[in-house]
Amino acid sequence: MLNLLVQFSFSFLASAAYAIITNVPRRSLIACGLSGAAGWMFYWFSTQWGANAALGSLLGALSVAAVSFICSRKLKLPVTIFNIPGMVPLVPGGLAYQAVRNLVIGNYDTAMHSTVQAIMIAGAIALGLVLSEVFNHNIRNFKEKRDIVSLIRKKAEK
């Protein structure tokens, strides 16, 4: 239970701190922290239950994008204000560092493995954002078409 609280707290703080550095509006800081914490918790739970890091990053990115979409609607701000700080805990920076470090010291097999893993994680994050945007776009189009059809039916009834 304590580990869960630590994971949530530090992912929230990392996202909120990055949001402060990038000068997002003050009223969105808590939402930025929540989007990052949600993404990290999905990643952390999935890796704890046996998924690999790429799948965990995909699920984390999907949850960041979903929370960002909800927060952007509630606070009436662009979704990127919440997406970018929310992705900070998911970025494989330590893995990329290890890849370069192993390359420099001559461990080419380990460097290649770390590089491929970092690329897969980065691709999973990008795929999660794209899939979420596609889902949001389809939902928006469905709602618009539903509203248009209901207006046409109301006019036809009159």
Side-chain angles (χ1 to χ4, degrees):
M1 183 64 179
L2 181 63
N3 194 12
L4 182 71
L5 183 63
V6 168
Q7 295 288 332
F8 182 85
S9 300
F10 281 104
S11 59
F12 181 91
L13 287 174
S15 298
Y18 188 80
I20 290 170
I21 291 170
T22 55
N23 292 326
V24 299
R26 279 188 181 186
R27 63 189 175 115
S28 67
L29 287 177
I30 292 175
C32 289
L34 287 176
S35 71
W40 180 256
M41 295 312 290
F42 267 86
Y43 170 82
W44 186 70
F45 278 126
S46 63
T47 55
Q48 292 296 311
W49 291 334
N52 63 3
L55 178 61
S57 295
L58 175 68
L59 294 175
L62 282 171
S63 65
V64 166
V67 171
S68 298
F69 181 74
I70 292 167
C71 290
S72 72
R73 293 289 177 197
K74 283 205 175 271
L75 296 175
K76 294 180 177 36
L77 291 169
V79 73
T80 54
I81 287 177
F82 308 103
N83 267 346
I84 294 170
M87 291 297 165
V88 168
L90 298 176
V91 173
L95 191 59
Y97 169 77
Q98 289 298 324
V100 172
R101 182 178 173 273
N102 284 314
L103 183 66
V104 169
I105 63 175
N107 294 339
Y108 298 116
D109 290 338
T110 309
M112 184 63 97
H113 179 71
S114 298
T115 302
V116 169
Q117 259 190 321
I119 290 171
M120 286 177 55
I121 291 170
I125 291 170
L127 181 64
L129 285 175
V130 168
L131 285 176
S132 177
E133 187 58 36
V134 167
F135 291 149
N136 290 336
H137 187 267
N138 286 339
I139 290 169
R140 225 174 305 135
N141 280 346
F142 176 76
K143 286 180 181 179
E144 288 174 5
K145 288 178 183 177
R146 183 187 63 196
D147 292 343
I148 290 171
V149 167
S150 68
L151 285 174
I152 291 172
R153 287 183 181 162
K154 284 180 183 178
K155 286 183 181 180
E157 290 174 359
K158 290 181 182 179

